Every structure is written in C-alpha cells, then in structure tokens.
Amino acid sequence: MTKKPVIQPQDKYVLRLPDGMRDKLKAEAEQNGRSMNAEIVARLEESFFDAVRIPPSLQRRMKDQAVLNGRTIPQEALETLEFLYPEPPSADELLSTLDEFVERVQKEDLFKDAWFKPRLMERLAEINRRLREK
C-alpha cells in the first residue's frame, strides 16, 4: 500500500479550549462554511494582520460605555463605528432629497430676491441631471 504524498508540511498542536469555546468555534465555522481547523487558522491569520492595538485607557472607557449600554466591548465598538461612519445615501435617496428641496424652493419662493437664486437653480438642475445619468 502506497502512502499519499504530503502536499504541505503541517505542524500539529494539541489545544485545550475553555468550556463552551469549542461549541462557539463550531457554530462560527459552520456559518462561514469552513472546518473547525480552517476557522481557527483563519482567526489566527487575521490576528497577525488586522490587529488594532487599543491603549489600556481606551479599553477601560470602551468597557465602561459597553456596560452602560448593556453591550459587549466588540458590540460597543461596532455601534460606535457605525455611528461615526454611516452608509452614504444612495443615488435614489440623493435625488429624492434634491427633488424635495427644488420643489420647496419653487413652491415657497425661497431666496426670492437673492442674487444667487438663478445660479443655484442652474446648479441644482445640473446635479440632478448628473445623478440621473448614473
């Protein structure tokens, strides 16, 4: 009987996990479509490249805020980042807002005597045209 050639040398390491961690890893691996081993390796790889070093004083403030909001520290970090960096509006949302603004300017005769009104209306029409082209 012939042995299969080893394509890639692999180190083996017996790992002891805290109670419950194996189940968490298994669930995450299934969700990500990977084996448990592949999940562990992917998470280790990420830790080498994507690690952000958070100063201890900031860690304490994040923990305090997370406790106040009833969230974990990662949840608190994500909520804060989502708040600071919201999704930009879609072209449709921009067009809708622009249409509402133009309608209001015309209906309420806003900027009635303003010297810049003709140029403003030209510019708004140009922006509207460009957004609709996309």
Side-chain angles (χ1 to χ4, degrees):
M1 184 173 215
T2 61
K3 287 186 177 181
K4 290 183 180 179
V6 175
I7 297 172
Q8 177 183 353
Q10 298 178 347
D11 288 333
K12 292 185 179 182
Y13 183 83
V14 176
L15 181 65
R16 289 186 298 273
L17 299 171
D19 289 342
M21 185 168 289
R22 184 183 190 287
D23 293 334
K24 287 180 186 177
L25 278 169
K26 183 178 180 183
E28 289 293 316
E30 287 174 1
Q31 184 177 353
N32 294 325
R34 301 191 267 228
S35 67
M36 281 185 54
N37 188 74
E39 184 69 25
I40 292 168
V41 170
R43 287 171 177 260
L44 286 172
E45 285 290 336
E46 286 176 17
S47 74
F48 294 127
F49 300 108
D50 296 332
V52 174
R53 305 287 181 225
I54 300 173
S57 63
L58 180 55
Q59 288 178 19
R60 282 191 300 277
R61 294 193 311 267
M62 288 173 65
K63 181 181 178 187
D64 292 345
Q65 195 63 43
V67 168
L68 284 173
N69 292 328
R71 296 191 276 244
T72 64
I73 293 173
Q75 288 170 333
E76 185 65 33
L78 286 174
E79 288 288 328
T80 302
L81 290 170
E82 284 287 340
F83 176 77
L84 292 173
Y85 302 101
E87 283 285 331
S90 68
D92 287 340
E93 291 169 325
L94 288 173
L95 278 170
S96 176
T97 302
L98 181 60
D99 289 342
E100 289 171 15
F101 179 69
V102 169
E103 184 179 315
R104 185 166 175 228
V105 167
Q106 292 169 339
K107 182 179 179 183
E108 298 176 19
D109 205 16
L110 297 178
F111 314 118
K112 180 168 63 174
D113 298 323
W115 59 269
F116 57 82
K117 185 174 181 179
R119 180 65 183 131
L120 172 66
M121 297 309 285
E122 288 173 16
R123 187 70 177 124
L124 289 173
E126 181 183 333
I127 292 169
N128 195 326
R129 182 183 49 77
R130 284 186 180 176
L131 285 172
R132 290 190 192 281
E133 287 175 357
K134 293 181 179 186

